[in-house]
Amino acid sequence: MTKIKFLKIDKIILFGGARLLSELAQYLKTETDFESVVFSSSRHLKEYVGGGSSLREVLEKNNIKYYNSDNINKDANLKREITRNSLGLAIGASWVFEKSTVNLFQKNYLLDFMGIDLPRYDGGAHYTWKILNQSKINGANLQIIKGGEETFHRGEVIKSQEYKLSEDLKRPIDYFKFIIKKEIAFLESFLKEVQAGKEFGLKKLEEGRMSYFPFLSTKNNGLINWSWFGKEIYLFINAFDSPYAGASTFLYKEKVFLRDCTILKTEENFHSFCSGLVIRKSESGIVVAVTGGALLIKEAIDDSGNKINGKIKLGSRFYTPYDVLEKAINFEASYDAKGVKNKKI
């Protein structure tokens, strides 16, 4: 097995966004002797990372140096910031690093953090897919970035950890809160090992075990198909729940987002024709019939973000037109520095 050692690292360059990068940037600032700088994007900088603050606000509050880069491969600031002893860590970065960019670092000194159990769940929208598939195994990995689209997420792994997820995790926000502590501990351990001069073995991915699940857009992919069995709809609503807008459908010809869903035990084994009907209302929420049972939905929200539980009438029906479902299933989400787009267009 090939081994590598990171010698005399004095600077950590972080690429990407989200709460993990925010937490790690603060750790580097207050708990280590490493110089550090962040390269993020307009999309990431405006996203909330905890405590009601955006990534930009957290970085500025803590006097952490950062750049807003729409194209890291053409960013002159990166060339100025890289030193011979710089180590790069990408955490959900918006860009595919070209080989010329990778070559600005010493060989194997640009790494990608993947908060999944590689090689399973490669791709994106990891926790949405895990909720849908009821997966309770997760992991953390650091991969070598080789550069170029053809090598994306195909580099050797130098450090990995696998762990079980708590059985009571229900929504993406629950996954994030549980996982963030493990990911921070994993990265802090890695940085301490780097400082201690540890040798890391390079392990190739087991391609035969790989599963790829694509990136998703809540707005474009998260449309409910009421012909599914009740448990499938329950999992789908949870999978697009907080911190996302919620799974969506239609009521009175208007788009509605549904969140905070629970399966109910019912006396009746409701027929598929009942699916989507509002059969009961209470202070706890709206009870909706689904194939084989019923769901309690605590939040129905209109397109403007207003809770509309009180406006929903008994006997009304949630529905999603077939043409909308077809568009949703065929939308191939792709993210860049500015936001989401459809790969097919």
Side-chain angles (χ1 to χ4, degrees):
M1 177 185 289
T2 303
K3 293 187 177 182
I4 61 171
K5 183 187 291 188
F6 301 100
L7 300 175
K8 299 179 180 177
I9 298 298
D10 57 14
K11 188 173 189 177
I12 306 293
I13 302 179
L14 301 180
F15 300 92
R19 183 178 173 184
L20 179 58
L21 183 142
S22 170
E23 297 277 352
L24 185 60
Q26 292 175 74
Y27 169 78
L28 288 168
K29 177 82 173 182
T30 61
E31 303 294 330
T32 76
D33 294 326
F34 291 120
E35 182 184 354
S36 63
V37 63
V38 172
F39 281 83
S40 191
S41 63
S42 52
R43 172 169 66 90
H44 281 311
L45 286 168
K46 67 184 179 182
E47 290 176 347
Y48 289 102
V49 292
S53 299
S54 67
L55 177 58
R56 184 191 301 275
E57 290 168 337
V58 170
L59 295 176
E60 291 180 352
K61 179 181 177 181
N62 291 278
N63 295 314
I64 296 170
K65 188 176 184 180
Y66 73 94
Y67 295 95
N68 182 356
S69 180
D70 285 338
N71 187 341
I72 197 65
N73 299 298
K74 295 181 179 180
D75 196 328
N77 293 310
L78 180 58
K79 292 182 180 180
R80 288 194 291 267
E81 289 288 351
I82 292 178
T83 65
R84 176 167 176 76
N85 297 320
S86 293
L87 177 65
L89 293 176
I91 302 173
S94 299
W95 329 273
V96 174
F97 293 89
E98 294 177 359
K99 289 183 179 179
S100 58
T101 303
V102 175
N103 290 338
L104 295 174
F105 291 85
Q106 290 195 63
K107 184 179 180 182
N108 298 330
Y109 275 47
L110 179 57
L111 309 175
D112 193 12
F113 172 81
M114 296 289 287
I116 53 171
D117 44 324
L118 287 176
R120 300 169 65 246
Y121 286 90
D122 191 14
H126 308 304
Y127 308 127
T128 294
W129 289 113
K130 281 182 176 290
I131 292 168
L132 291 172
N133 298 332
Q134 301 175 75
S135 170
K136 291 299 181 181
I137 300 294
N138 201 52
N141 299 269
L142 282 168
Q143 274 184 293
I144 301 292
I145 295 178
K146 299 289 189 180
E149 187 76 46
E150 70 280 4
T151 67
F152 189 57
H153 289 173
R154 294 295 181 270
E156 297 91 343
V157 174
I158 69 165
K159 181 178 174 66
S160 64
Q161 176 187 5
E162 191 172 280
Y163 55 87
K164 290 184 178 180
L165 296 166
S166 174
E167 290 294 327
D168 62 355
L169 303 182
K170 180 178 174 180
R171 306 164 299 164
I173 190 67
D174 303 324
Y175 280 68
F176 295 152
K177 288 179 179 178
F178 180 89
I179 288 166
I180 187 70
K181 295 178 182 178
K182 293 186 177 293
E183 292 181 338
I184 281 292
F186 175 85
L187 290 171
E188 288 179 3
S189 171
F190 168 71
L191 291 172
K192 289 175 182 176
E193 290 168 343
V194 169
Q195 286 180 308
K198 177 181 176 178
E199 282 191 330
F200 297 89
L202 272 63
K203 183 180 179 181
K204 291 186 177 180
L205 288 177
E206 298 177 57
E207 298 282 346
R209 292 182 60 233
M210 181 173 289
S211 299
Y212 182 89
F213 293 91
F215 288 85
L216 295 171
S217 161
T218 299
K219 177 182 177 181
N220 296 289
N221 296 118
L223 279 297
I224 299 168
N225 187 335
W226 292 98
S227 67
W228 293 332
F229 284 105
K231 186 175 181 180
E232 293 177 305
I233 296 174
Y234 160 77
L235 292 170
F236 192 83
I237 293 173
N238 286 340
F240 289 93
D241 205 322
S242 182
Y244 308 122
S248 55
T249 185
F250 287 80
L251 182 71
Y252 316 135
K253 297 184 180 181
E254 299 294 331
K255 195 170 188 179
V256 179
F257 297 85
L258 305 181
R259 300 203 306 185
D260 205 341
C261 178
T262 304
I263 291 181
L264 297 179
K265 292 182 179 180
T266 59
E267 296 178 3
E268 297 89 356
N269 185 25
F270 291 120
H271 187 276
S272 298
F273 184 67
C274 301
S275 188
L277 285 175
V278 177
I279 59 172
R280 194 178 308 130
K281 291 174 63 178
S282 71
E283 292 183 0
S284 299
I286 303 160
V287 178
V288 181
V290 288
T291 305
L295 303 177
L296 173 65
I297 297 170
K298 294 185 179 180
E299 291 187 0
I301 303 166
D302 67 17
D303 220 1
S304 299
N306 303 307
K307 188 173 179 179
I308 59 169
N309 291 38
K311 298 180 181 180
I312 297 174
K313 299 176 182 178
L314 291 174
S316 57
R317 184 190 292 270
F318 291 110
Y319 70 98
T320 312
Y322 291 118
D323 63 324
V324 175
L325 287 173
E326 186 175 353
K327 288 180 182 177
I329 204 72
N330 283 294
F331 187 92
E332 295 186 11
S334 175
Y335 289 86
D336 60 19
K338 296 182 179 180
V340 64
K341 59 183 179 181
N342 191 346
K343 271 187 183 179
K344 292 186 174 180
I345 296 176

